[in-house]
Every structure is written in structure tokens, then in C-alpha cells.
Amino acid sequence: MADSKGGQAGVAARTTMIDVANAAGVSFKTVSRVLNGEAYVRESTRGKVLEAARSLDYQFNHAARSLRSGSAQIVSLLTGNQSRAYTQSVHLGALQQCQQAGVHVVVESAAADIEVNIEALERSLLETAPMGVVVTPPLCDNAEIIALLERHHFRYVLISPVAPGPGTPHVGMDDEAAAREMTALLIGLGHRQIGFIQGDPDDPASSLRRRGYLSALADAHIAAEDTLVVSGRFDWDSGLVAADRLLDLDDPPSAIFAANDDMAAAVIAAAYRRDMRVPGDLSVAGFGDTSVASVISPQLTTVYQPIVDMVSEAVRILTGVISGADVEVTQMTLPYRLVERGSTGKC
Amino acid sequence: MADSKGGQAGVAARTTMIDVANAAGVSFKTVSRVLNGEAYVRESTRGKVLEAARSLDYQFNHAARSLRSGSAQIVSLLTGNQSRAYTQSVHLGALQQCQQAGVHVVVESAAADIEVNIEALERSLLETAPMGVVVTPPLCDNAEIIALLERHHFRYVLISPVAPGPGTPHVGMDDEAAAREMTALLIGLGHRQIGFIQGDPDDPASSLRRRGYLSALADAHIAAEDTLVVSGRFDWDSGLVAADRLLDLDDPPSAIFAANDDMAAAVIAAAYRRDMRVPGDLSVAGFGDTSVASVISPQLTTVYQPIVDMVSEAVRILTGVISGADVEVTQMTLPYRLVERGSTGKC
DNA sequence: CTGAAAGCGCTTACAG
DNA sequence: CTGAAAGCGCTTACAG
């Protein structure tokens, strides 16, 4: 009775900018300004609006925005030449979060030969006018791409960059710590002669993992031997070649740690071809916990890498203009996890 | 000069329902009716509107609809317990198409024990009120689920059902023909003693593939032997057991065709454990062309199954109310493709 | 079977 | 730094 305005009793009407404006004592236009991160809003006003939005549990209406603004919000996904499993995970993470934010995903895949395509990329980005760009490995460590993004003032978040500049928004995991921990696990099993297969020697992620490997050896006072570190290119074939190099050594390793699962799978294949048993004669560890890890024999001991979540968080940073926090969090390190399966055993 | 109405020259204004209405000579409300598939529209009117929409290349504005109607459009994804790779592909296909249609995806995963969960599923579906439901294997052949969907008049599309009722909307591929062709490939390589590893014997998809296998044998006048068909459960472990059963036969097969890639990977593992070479001593073929197929040694000869596309098409059927066609296409068979890699060779 | 009016929740200019 | 007005393209009742 007290409230005789329209609206059905019991049905909570959606909270709109107008409600937030009333609660904050400003016009709804000001609410719009704050929520869109526009300049020229007094700091105290901004605080009141954010506080009101939070206490009313205000949900932004993306449909209304895109109807009025006449253009869909877009997040661009810059992907390089990773494995199929990796790329699928990246797409999934982006799509999941974007659909929730009412944002569209546009995939810009850059081939290996960046130099040739950088102009096409620039044109496409300018045309698409994304509200943000997610840059995945190995592109996230490409100075030319970062420079391009900076030049045009695109907002962006890097996934798993090795050397992000100070303040550069990024989401990743601690590759070095993960590799160190995995190496320590092997050492704990009694292995002293541990081989490491990296990706391209100058691949950023790969070098972090190698660093972790070396530091675990140092921690255990095991001398690192150059011959025990060989290079692949992250694919299965190169992993096979690398494994053979290690197993052909005069003093071959009793355990091999590969910088990704595909190469680790190849190590197991190489062992079988030599009638070596895994883990009886050779322990094998991978990195990534991709789907291959659980469908090879024996199943692979590896590091779970939260790719879907990393990309998801990156999109959240890009799309989440309304954050309660005073300082927006734009750098995150997500937890990894060691997954011990059948491919590793005591020495 | 002739057109002095507002709007910037050169910038094509978006085509709206009003434009379509003018072109068709009806009110825009009628256009809305037609495009939403409402009843009570004269057939001739419907035709005119559809024709006008097509010739003007009208694009429906989802933002406007959800703003006005106050609720997001939702497609539900009913997924059972398939492999991780399969599920990821399903999600990807749905998300890709839904984002384009401005529709949200809600995932309803049903555990193996349907009976227990059917009520929860019903409640959730009623609450979500999706505009359509995509049902993936093995749920797509569950009579109880179909009955539930029919009872509440949900629109739905089945993915790869084995025995869809007449007129039941579904998207799939010809599993039987694919299996027949793969078996014929093995026969063409000189194999006569060919083992087959199915999933659960009563799994619908599995039985189609077995049928294809048997019919290829018949085509080649090769007598089928019961001992050469063994059952797994689609996972790696069961594939290993099944492979051992086949290889332990007095007259073991020279080739083994597994009903999915995971089990085929296990066959290769089983062969290595016996010091058999693949394909030298044993040819192995899989089904699916999932990511594992290219990261095992040797790489797997298999059947490419377009899961992402199948789900994508299913969503398109569910969301695409405006179809130019007079009769809406709700049944599709997508092409498969044999992928010959290193795991098969001459006998 | 078809139509005229109102309004969903925002952003876009424009004005102070 | 802040606000009042108009309108994006549809759907919802309601009326014929």
C-alpha cells in the first residue's frame, strides 16, 4: 500500500542506472560516466557512485548499451601458432567470459612470420576497434606487437608473458616455480641424471621452465650438465629427436622433463622404441596437462596449467569497467598444480 | 539532394524491421511476428516479409530484443560424460554460434546416472526457460530426456543421434559409412583379419560404427568372426584391455579399428608392450581425429568428426528463426573425412 | 489475422 | 565537472 507505484509485488525490478543515481544523489548520466571510466568525474563523486552500485548489486545492461551505441563491444584475441589443444582452451576461456559480459570475440591469428603480417594486423585492429586485446604466447613477448598496441592506445592484457614491462597488464602462472617443483619431484624420487627438453632455446616460456629446472638442480647440489639440455620446438616430432639425443648419451638420464606434454609424449614413444620401460627404465614428466597427458601409456606426470582461467581473467580485466576496487587489479598469477601420474617412478 | 532525410551520406544506416515492413507493404509489427515465428500470420504475408528481409539483407538486432523483452535469450547444452576433448569441442561450437546470435549458453551436464538427475534437470530447464536445447551423445538417445523435452514443448536439436524419430531435428554425420570406409581402407591395404573395439555394446554411436565395420567385411566377402569384436568403454584403460584380448587370440588380427581415438591410442600402447611395431606388425585406426591422434607415435589414421561444426549448426537451427527457406531445414548430415597417417600400412 | 502506442536501459550529442 | 532531452530497434500489452 505504501508503495503504490507500478511494478508487480514480489517481482524485483531490475536495478538501473537511475536507481544507482538516486542512491548516490547524482544524475544517472554521471553514473554512466563513472561506469564507463570516462574522465572528468570528481573523485568523491566516483566513490559515491561505485559504492551505491555495489550496495544495490547493480548489473550493467549490455543489451541497452549496444542498442544505443549501435555497435557491439568486441574483444580481440591475438593468437600465435600454439598446439591445437592450447588454442582451443584459449578460445573457450575467452568465449565463456565474453558471453557473460555481453561482448563479442574476434580472433586475430598471426602466423609465425609476424613481420609480414604486422600491417594487416594493424589494419584489422583499427577496423574492429576492440575494447581490449588479449595477447597469447608467443605473441605476448613480441615487442613489435606491444608497440603497435601502445601506439594506438588499445587496452590489452598479456597471457603468460615472460618479461612484461612494469605495470603491463598480464595474467600468467609461475612457470619457473612450476618447473622447479617438478624437477624437485624427480630429484625426490632419486633421480640425479635428469634431462630437460626445452622448446626453441629463445622461446620465453621455455626459458623460464629451463631456469626452474636449473635452479632445482642447484638447490639439490647437483651439477648441471650442458649435454642434458636439448632443444625441441614444442611439437611431437621434435620431441622425438630430442629424446633420442638424450638417450644416446654415454651416460643417459634416468628421467626426462619436457617443456610441454606433446614432447613428453614423444619421449615415451622414443623409450618404447628402445625397449625401455616407463617409468621402470626412464621417468618422464611433461608440462601443461593437456588432453594427451591422460591418453598415453603410461599416463603423464605433468604440470596443470590453467589456460582457460587465465584467458577468462584477462577478458574480465578488459571488460570489467565497474570494479569495486579503488585500484584495478591488472596483474594476476594463477596457481599451477603438479599432477603425478604413472610416467614417473623411483630411480 | 533527392534524399534530404537525415543520415550521413555514404554511411549505410542499419536495415530495421521498419525498412522491411515498408518493402513488404505491411506494418513493422507484422514483420516482428513473422521473424519470431508467431502464429496467425497469413501465409502470403509471411512470404512477402521473408522475401523483403532477404533482399534487404536484414540483420536481426538481438540487443534490441533482449533490452525490450527484459530477458536474455538462452540455449541449453545438455552434455553427458564424454571425453574432455569432445566436451571442449561441444562447448566451443555452441559458444561460437551463440555469440554471433546474441544468445547465451547454459551448460546442463547430466551425470551417468540419469534416473537420479532427471527431476533436477527438469527443474533447471523450466527455470532457465531456454529458447532451445542442444542434446549431445549419449543423452541424445535417451528416451526419458526426449520425453521430458517434448512434454514441456522445448525446441531441441540432437547431436549425432542413432535413431532419431521421424521429423526429430538433429545434426550428425554418417558414422556407419565412415566406419565402413575406414574398414575398407584397411582391407585395401591387404588386411583380412581385422579386429574391432567398440564402446559399450549398447552405446548407440558405437553400434553404428560396428555396423559399418561389419558391412565393409561383407562387401569384401570376408567372414566376420565374433572373437574379433570386443568391447571397451571409450576410455584409454578399457582400450588397453580390449587390445590385449585381441592380440592374445590364437589367430590375432593384423589390423585393429577402434571406435574412438583414445582406445586406438591404447592399442598402440598395447602393441609396443608386446614389442610389436605399428604399422609393421599391426595397423591401428581410430575414430574422431581428436588432438591425441597427432601426438602419439605413430600418428593415428582416423576419421575426422566435425563436432564443433555439428553443434554450431544445431545452435543455428535453434536460433535462426528468420530463414529464407520455405521449409526450415532441421536435419543435417555433415561430412566426415578419412585422415590417413602413420599407424596403418600394408599387410 | 493486423496495427498504433509506449517503453526497455542505456549513450549520444549538446548545453551549461 | 555535471545534467536534461532524444532515441537506438525491438516487444509488450491492447485494440480492432
Side-chain angles (χ1 to χ4, degrees), chain A residues 47 51 59 101 105-106 137 166 174-175 185 253 257 274 279:
Chain A
E51 172 53 32
Q59 301 289 334
V105 178
V106 170
D174 192 337
D175 280 67
L185 181 151
F257 177 21
R274 293 163 180 260

Side-chain angles (χ1 to χ4, degrees), chain A residues 63-64 66-67 84 88-89 91-92 95 99 103-105 236 262 265 269 273 275 289-292 295-297, chain B residues 61 63-64 66-67 84 88-89 91-92 95 99 103-105 236 262 265 269 273 275 289-292 295-297:
Chain A
S66 53
L67 173 56
R84 180 169 143 187
Q88 273 218 359
S89 296
H91 288 189
L92 203 55
L95 282 165
Q99 101 152 344
V103 168
H104 286 247
V105 178
W236 192 89
D262 285 10
R273 292 182 183 189
D275 290 326
D289 196 22
T290 54
S291 56
V292 64
V295 294
I296 56 174
S297 166
Chain B
N61 187 324
S66 53
L67 173 56
R84 179 169 144 184
Q88 272 219 0
S89 297
H91 288 188
L92 202 56
L95 283 166
Q99 102 153 343
V103 168
H104 286 246
V105 178
W236 191 90
D262 285 9
R273 292 183 183 188
D275 291 327
D289 197 22
T290 52
S291 57
V292 64
V295 293
I296 56 175
S297 163

Side-chain angles (χ1 to χ4, degrees), chain A residues 5-337:
Chain A
K5 286 208 294 194
Q8 306 163 344
V11 174
R14 181 177 188 125
T15 302
T16 73
M17 280 190 179
I18 295 181
D19 301 320
V20 176
N22 290 339
V26 298
S27 81
F28 71 91
K29 174 60 213 175
T30 298
V31 175
S32 170
R33 279 206 183 82
V34 172
L35 266 30
N36 284 294
E38 289 176 32
Y40 305 124
V41 178
R42 196 185 298 157
E43 199 47 50
S44 63
T45 308
R46 208 180 97 83
K48 276 190 297 184
V49 169
L50 249 22
E51 172 53 32
R54 205 172 351 164
S55 72
L56 292 176
D57 192 28
Y58 169 71
Q59 301 289 334
F60 189 88
N61 187 324
H62 293 274
R65 165 192 280 165
S66 53
L67 173 56
R68 177 60 246 227
S69 69
S71 66
Q73 304 287 308
I74 291 174
V75 163
S76 279
L77 211 50
L78 248 59
T79 59
N81 45 340
Q82 293 285 320
S83 76
R84 180 169 143 187
Y86 192 96
T87 303
Q88 273 218 359
S89 296
V90 168
H91 288 189
L92 203 55
L95 282 165
Q96 276 177 358
Q97 191 63 38
C98 278
Q99 101 152 344
Q100 194 173 320
V103 168
H104 286 247
V105 178
V106 170
V107 176
E108 309 269 4
S109 26
D113 203 348
I114 290 294
E115 334 296 327
V116 187
N117 294 300
I118 195 109
E119 273 181 45
L121 178 63
E122 180 167 17
R123 221 173 310 123
S124 174
L125 239 27
L126 254 21
E127 199 169 306
T128 315
M131 64 189 296
V133 184
V134 177
V135 192
T136 68
L139 272 31
C140 56
D141 287 297
N142 183 301
E144 222 176 331
I145 287 185
I146 307 296
L148 166 62
L149 261 17
E150 293 280 0
R151 188 162 63 247
H152 294 293
H153 303 292
F154 282 112
R155 298 184 62 214
Y156 62 89
V157 175
L158 310 180
I159 301 297
S160 277
V162 169
T168 300
H170 65 270
V171 180
M173 60 169 270
D174 192 337
D175 280 67
E176 182 174 347
R180 191 186 322 121
E181 211 174 305
M182 177 60 83
T183 308
L185 181 151
L186 294 170
I187 294 172
L189 288 168
H191 297 280
R192 290 294 172 272
Q193 195 75 357
I194 302 174
F196 182 76
I197 303 180
Q198 57 187 355
D200 298 279
D202 43 79
D203 178 278
S206 183
S207 53
L208 279 185
R209 293 171 199 171
R210 183 187 53 220
R211 213 185 298 168
Y213 156 81
L214 292 173
S215 98
L217 292 185
D219 289 349
H221 307 296
I222 300 175
E225 293 176 39
D226 284 352
T227 51
L228 284 177
V229 176
V230 299
S231 297
R233 288 178 319 275
F234 280 130
D235 61 345
W236 192 89
D237 291 320
S238 69
L240 194 69
V241 175
D244 281 333
R245 270 244 295 293
L246 286 171
L247 298 175
D248 282 338
L249 290 176
D250 291 336
D251 190 9
S254 65
I256 295 180
F257 177 21
N260 77 348
D261 286 349
D262 285 10
M263 295 194 296
V267 174
I268 292 181
Y272 279 133
R273 292 182 183 189
R274 293 163 180 260
D275 290 326
M276 296 174 72
R277 287 174 321 160
V278 177
D281 303 320
L282 180 71
S283 281
V284 180
F287 202 107
D289 196 22
T290 54
S291 56
V292 64
S294 41
V295 294
I296 56 174
S297 166
Q299 297 194 335
L300 202 56
T301 292
T302 186
V303 176
Y304 168 72
Q305 191 186 13
I307 305 169
V308 175
D309 294 339
M310 291 194 292
V311 177
S312 213
E313 287 297 339
V315 170
R316 223 161 58 90
I317 289 171
L318 255 16
T319 58
V321 197
I322 169 182
S323 76
D326 284 335
V327 179
E328 221 180 321
V329 177
T330 59
Q331 305 193 337
M332 303 183 62
T333 299
L334 265 34
Y336 57 87
R337 193 171 64 238

